[in-house]
Amino acid sequence: MKAFKHHQVSKTLTVFLLATMLLGMAPTSPVLAGPEPPVTPRGFDQAQPNLVQHSATGKVSFLSVDASAPISTGAGLRAFDANGYENSARLFLSEHGELFGLRDQREELQMLRQSSLENGRQFVRFQQTYNGVPVMAVELNVQMDEDGNVITVNGEILPDLVLSTDPQFSADEIASQARQLAADYLGMEVDLVSVSEPELVIYSPQLLESRDGEARLAWQLSATVEGLPVGYRMVLDANTGDSLMAYEESWNALSVRIYDDGNA
C-alpha cells in the first residue's frame, strides 16, 4: 500500500512537471504597446502655447506647444503645392506674426530653406528683410508636423524698423574704404588686400551685440590677403563709412575676434 501511494505521487509529480515545461515552450502572445495618442490640432488660444520673450525687443522669441496638440494652420494649406510647407508657416505668421514683431510677413520674410525629418516633422527658416534688404542674423524658424500644424517657432525679429535703404556710399566707395581698414588691421600694404562684393544689410547693435543703438543701413563684405590664414568680415555704415563691426576670421577656425564701431 505504501509503495502504491509513492508510485501515484511520483506519477502525479511527473505529469505536473511535464505540463509546466510544455507551457513554458508554448508561444506567447506579444505584449503590444498602447496606441499613440491622437494628434488633435487646436486653435491658438486652445493650444495654450508656452511663450518666451526676447530680453531686448520684448517680443516673443520662442513659442512651443505639445506635439499632440499642435496649432492648426488649416487643412487647405498642408504642403500640397509648389511651396511645400512654406504656405502653412506663412499662414500662421500672418495671423500671429505681431507676437514676434512682424507687421506683414509677406513683405518682411524671405524663405531661406525647408527641411524635414523621417518622423514627418517639417522645418521652414525665414530671413527678415526690410524693403528687400536682409537684416543681419535675424531669422525665424517654424517647426510643423506632416500636416503643416505648428509645434514650435523660434528666432528673433527686429520690430518697428524705419530707415532709408538708399546708401550714401556706393559699393565701390565702401570696398575701397574696407581695403584700407583691413590693411590697417592686418598691418599690410593696401595693395595686398582683396575684398568681396559688398552686400547691403541692416545692422542692429541691439540684436547683434546686446547694446543700445539705432538700426543702420550698412555694407557687409570680406577682406583677405593671399597666403594669409586670417581675414576680416567687415560691416561698414552705408551712410558714413564708419566701421560698425569687423570679425577677424581665421580660416582654420581657431580664432574669431569681433571689433565694434570703436575698434574695441
Side-chain angles (χ1 to χ4, degrees):
M1 189 68 174
K2 290 182 182 180
F4 175 77
K5 287 184 179 180
H6 176 75
H7 176 73
Q8 191 174 33
V9 170
S10 299
K11 186 177 180 181
T12 302
L13 181 60
T14 301
V15 172
F16 173 77
L17 291 174
L18 182 60
T20 302
M21 291 174 63
L22 290 174
L23 286 173
M25 295 171 61
T28 58
S29 300
V31 178
L32 300 178
E36 290 290 329
V39 174
T40 308
R42 300 179 180 180
F44 185 87
D45 293 334
Q46 289 72 35
Q48 297 182 333
N50 299 312
L51 304 176
V52 177
Q53 288 185 313
H54 193 284
S55 59
T57 67
K59 299 297 183 179
V60 172
S61 61
F62 182 78
L63 173 151
S64 68
V65 296
D66 191 289
S68 65
I71 300 172
S72 173
T73 56
L77 294 172
R78 292 185 305 173
F80 303 115
D81 56 55
N83 291 331
Y85 287 82
E86 179 184 353
N87 276 358
S88 293
R90 285 189 179 277
L91 180 60
F92 173 82
L93 293 171
S94 290
E95 297 177 354
H96 307 292
E98 186 177 353
L99 286 171
F100 304 92
L102 292 168
R103 287 175 291 204
D104 185 346
Q105 63 84 19
R106 295 170 300 177
E107 298 293 328
E108 295 178 87
L109 294 179
Q110 176 185 359
M111 201 273 288
L112 292 180
R113 68 177 186 181
Q114 300 187 62
S115 59
S116 61
L117 298 179
E118 291 183 0
N119 64 1
R121 293 290 175 87
Q122 305 295 322
F123 302 86
V124 181
R125 175 174 292 184
F126 294 101
Q127 162 84 57
Q128 184 185 5
T129 64
Y130 179 74
N131 289 346
V133 178
V135 184
M136 285 183 66
V138 177
E139 299 177 353
L140 270 186
N141 302 282
V142 182
Q143 178 186 176
M144 295 163 284
D145 64 16
E146 60 186 351
D147 289 323
N149 301 304
V150 172
I151 299 171
T152 66
V153 181
N154 70 286
E156 55 190 11
I157 291 295
L158 186 60
D160 305 322
L161 268 173
V162 178
L163 76 167
S164 171
T165 52
D166 294 322
Q168 297 299 309
F169 278 67
S170 69
D172 288 341
E173 290 171 329
I174 223 70
S176 178
Q177 178 133 338
R179 290 179 66 217
Q180 184 60 62
L181 286 172
D184 293 341
Y185 288 149
L186 295 168
M188 309 287 290
E189 294 294 330
V190 68
D191 293 341
L192 300 175
V193 179
S194 300
V195 295
S196 62
E197 185 71 24
E199 175 193 10
L200 204 59
V201 295
I202 293 172
Y203 157 87
S204 169
Q206 186 181 36
L207 295 183
L208 285 168
E209 302 180 78
S210 300
R211 62 185 181 86
D212 293 336
E214 297 294 325
R216 302 195 210 179
L217 186 67
W219 289 104
Q220 180 177 234
L221 67 168
S222 292
T224 59
V225 175
E226 185 176 356
L228 196 65
V230 175
Y232 283 92
R233 187 68 173 168
M234 309 178 71
V235 181
L236 305 181
D237 192 302
N239 295 314
T240 66
D242 294 338
S243 175
L244 300 176
M245 297 182 73
Y247 300 81
E248 183 184 294
E249 298 176 311
S250 176
W251 309 140
N252 59 14
L254 291 179
S255 66
V256 175
R257 282 187 282 176
I258 300 175
Y259 296 83
D260 60 21
D261 54 3
N263 290 338

